[in-house]
Amino acid sequence: MNDDTIVALSSGNLPSGVAVIRISGSACDSISKQMLGGLSEARVAHLKSVKHPSTQEELDRGIVIAFRAPASFTGEHCLELQLHGGRAVVEAVLNAICEFNGVRLAEAGEFSRRAFENGKLDLTEIEGIADLVASETEAQRKQALAQSRGDSRETYEGWRKRLIHMRALIEAELDFSEEEDIPQEISKEGFAQVKALKEEIENHLNDNRAGEIIRDGFKIALMGKPNAGKSSLLNALAKRDVAIVTNEAGTTRDVIDVHLDIDGYAVIVSDTAGLRISDDIVEAEGIKRAQLKGQEADLVIWLKEINDDQPYPDNGFDNVIHVTSKDDALSMQDGLSISVANENGLDSLISEIKKQIRNKLQNLDGVLISRLRYRESLVECGNHLSFVIDNQVSDIELKAETLRHASDCIGRITGKIDVEDLLDVIFSEFCVGK
Ligand SMILES: Nc1nc2c(ncn2[C@@H]2O[C@H](COP(=O)(O)OP(=O)(O)OP(=O)(O)O)[C@@H](O)[C@H]2O)c(=O)[nH]1
Ligand SMILES: [Mg+2]
């Protein structure tokens, strides 16, 4: 832990109506004395003249709020200055603050890191805040808000505590091995609890990856032969001219992603190269990438021109819907058909997409797994628990030790144990001022 006081602009791009500068650390007292004329009361908004510490020149006037450790976001003394959001205002105030001894500009995520290190928030709450700041759709906002206020922490910490208790029950057998009956009963209860928790964790994992999809976006790949009209459909869905459309087969090579908000869910639609055998190196690479996109997608929309008589191929993708394209004359096709030229059938296609999203993401209650990091730790935890309840293994000491590994897996999610190696990665995702 370092003693530096950190400062940053925590609000967005300048110029803006209001700019919020945040300061955290022990220098807050001298800053408030020398620049703000002192702040009598914590957590109360004061209208103040913000002055340069040595010249006492007025730099701006604004609302300032002081927080006293540990009752602040970081757990340290903090100041928040709400200034006029002019570039020169912010620069003058930041420069003045950095003149104090031991004060420097904050690194990305450093306020949150201090909040974590001072035990104000656990890692899931901090990652929830990062997601809330990054949220673009209603579903993302709701999920991130729940996580930032501790819903995931409660679930995971609850499990960790139960695991520690179960270990105590099972270890009872080791401690009292000479005595009869009672310890065996206790450890039997321990194993029953392990089995029950293992089922809970399995149910939690069996979630269609809904939490991750809400956070990262529902992925749709537009696929089909060259010239099927994929790029035209992408442009129609995006309502702007994103991808090049020509009547030449093999126009698209790179994957082109468009982010949409459908029904409050983040959706990423990817336009891909038309699939065919090609000797062209660039096109062949595009086709390889197209196939990868299809494999990763939550939904493949396979387009086939109305005058293409060949049957739909079986590409082995998990979830495919077939759509007839260029149906300009509104022929009565079975299933979905569209004409981008005449804007026919697009509403039905979007309704079908909404249905697919709902099937995957709705009707799931409780805490969802929002990150792969959590999922991996939970899977590992579950594997340890399988070992503990395996009747073929009789070594109780080994089982108790394995239970400790299981609770450590959960502890890595919340940051309760041994996460030094993770922190740099986690906090580097944050923006400066967070
Ligand atoms: N008549 C008609 N033409 C269309 C329609 N949609 C696309 N086209 C035309 O079909 C041609 C190919 O369209 P693209 O959108 O580039 O097809 P693509 O599937 O992206 O093709 P590649 O990128 O080469 O794989 C263009 O000339 C489009 O104008 C449609 O609904 N009706
Ligand atoms: Mg194309």
Side-chain angles (χ1 to χ4, degrees):
M1 192 74 216
N2 55 53
D3 304 328
D4 288 350
T5 293
I6 50 174
V7 58
L9 173 68
S10 284
S11 53
N13 284 342
L14 302 175
S16 58
V18 179
V20 179
I21 287 180
R22 233 183 189 175
I23 312 163
S24 177
S26 52
C28 280
D29 277 345
S30 28
I31 293 169
S32 82
K33 268 191 211 107
Q34 293 175 48
M35 290 184 71
L36 309 170
L39 291 174
S40 41
E41 228 180 320
R43 293 172 163 242
V44 170
H46 297 84
L47 176 63
K48 290 280 183 178
S49 169
V50 181
K51 292 186 176 144
H52 192 278
S54 35
T55 64
Q56 288 297 299
E57 179 199 350
E58 183 171 68
L59 303 175
D60 192 16
R61 284 176 70 76
I63 300 290
V64 300
I65 304 171
F67 300 85
R68 309 288 305 168
S72 72
F73 177 72
T74 59
E76 304 175 330
H77 290 334
C78 285
L79 284 173
E80 277 183 25
L81 317 183
Q82 300 178 14
L83 306 171
H84 295 100
R87 275 184 235 285
V89 176
V90 170
E91 192 169 329
V93 174
L94 283 178
N95 285 341
I97 292 169
C98 285
E99 280 185 18
F100 284 81
N101 260 342
V103 180
R104 62 170 170 80
L105 293 174
E107 287 163 21
E110 208 173 358
F111 290 95
S112 303
R113 188 168 184 151
R114 289 189 178 189
F116 170 69
E117 282 169 351
N118 293 328
K120 300 291 291 188
L121 298 166
D122 83 327
L123 283 185
T124 66
E125 288 165 330
I126 278 175
E127 287 173 318
I129 294 176
D131 289 349
L132 194 56
V133 171
S135 68
E136 290 182 345
T137 69
E138 270 299 280
Q140 289 174 333
R141 180 186 65 74
K142 287 189 180 137
Q143 174 164 300
L145 186 63
Q147 189 174 321
S148 70
R149 65 169 181 236
D151 288 14
S152 305
R153 174 184 49 74
E154 262 173 44
T155 302
Y156 297 143
E157 272 305 299
W159 288 352
R160 199 176 69 89
K161 287 194 182 119
R162 277 163 64 189
L163 282 166
I164 291 167
H165 179 65
M166 290 169 202
R167 178 154 56 96
L169 293 179
I170 287 169
E171 280 177 347
E173 191 167 340
L174 294 173
D175 297 342
F176 298 95
S177 52
E178 275 95 65
E179 293 166 36
E180 282 139 44
D181 292 348
I182 299 155
Q184 288 247 337
E185 279 306 308
I186 294 176
S187 66
K188 218 166 120 193
E189 168 61 20
F191 286 117
Q193 288 185 15
V194 172
K195 196 155 172 269
L197 180 57
K198 184 175 171 287
E199 273 165 28
E200 255 178 81
I201 293 178
E202 268 163 14
N203 284 336
H204 181 64
L205 281 167
N206 199 0
D207 64 348
N208 274 334
R209 290 180 35 255
E212 283 161 85
I213 293 172
I214 288 172
R215 176 175 179 268
D216 303 332
F218 181 87
K219 299 192 185 73
I220 300 178
L222 304 181
M223 301 191 72
K225 291 184 191 170
N227 260 351
K230 302 176 293 296
S231 301
S232 304
L233 176 58
L234 181 82
N235 291 346
L237 292 172
K239 299 200 175 88
R240 57 196 168 92
D241 197 9
V242 194
I244 300 174
V245 168
T246 73
N247 59 9
E248 210 171 283
T251 304
T252 306
R253 271 94 190 276
D254 284 316
V255 173
I256 302 173
D257 288 343
V258 162
H259 291 243
L260 301 177
D261 179 337
I262 297 183
D263 259 4
Y265 292 101
V267 175
I268 304 168
V269 185
S270 303
D271 180 25
T272 65
L275 299 195
R276 64 172 169 185
I277 311 285
S278 171
D279 292 336
D280 182 300
I281 307 174
V282 183
E283 188 178 8
E285 177 60 28
I287 290 168
K288 204 172 103 197
R289 292 181 188 201
Q291 258 146 350
L292 269 178
K293 272 285 155 186
Q295 281 155 18
E296 290 167 2
D298 298 303
L299 172 66
V300 170
I301 296 181
W302 189 276
L303 287 183
K304 191 174 82 160
E305 274 185 62
I306 189 154
N307 55 12
D308 179 347
D309 297 333
Q310 308 236 301
Y312 284 102
D314 178 11
N315 296 79
F317 299 126
D318 280 350
N319 192 19
V320 187
I321 52 175
H322 292 148
V323 178
T324 306
S325 63
K326 307 191 191 180
D327 186 10
D328 301 340
L330 266 189
S331 63
M332 300 300 282
Q333 292 287 316
D334 287 339
L336 286 165
S337 78
I338 58 164
S339 162
V340 172
N342 293 346
E343 295 188 15
N344 282 328
L346 292 174
D347 287 346
S348 312
L349 178 59
I350 290 171
S351 299
E352 176 61 28
I353 293 173
K354 287 182 183 172
K355 204 172 95 193
Q356 296 270 344
I357 294 174
R358 270 184 237 128
N359 281 348
K360 195 136 189 175
L361 302 182
Q362 278 189 350
N363 303 322
L364 289 154
D365 359 284
V367 167
L368 297 176
I369 302 167
S370 61
R371 281 166 200 256
L372 186 60
R373 181 174 94 71
Y374 305 170
R375 179 174 302 280
E376 286 171 349
S377 288
L378 290 164
V379 168
E380 202 185 326
C381 175
N383 292 341
H384 288 315
L385 298 187
S386 301
F387 177 84
V388 173
I389 54 177
D390 183 350
N391 290 326
Q392 313 276 326
V393 185
S394 55
D395 185 340
I396 299 293
E397 213 163 332
L398 186 59
K399 286 188 172 189
E401 181 62 13
T402 306
L403 262 184
R404 197 176 58 76
H405 293 316
S407 56
D408 284 356
C409 288
I410 308 282
R412 280 178 70 82
I413 298 179
T414 59
K416 271 279 175 205
I417 62 130
D418 172 35
V419 282
E420 232 5 80
D421 52 331
L422 279 179
L423 294 183
D424 287 338
V425 181
I426 290 174
F427 289 103
S428 65
E429 275 181 32
F430 280 66
C431 38
V432 173
K434 199 59 240 105

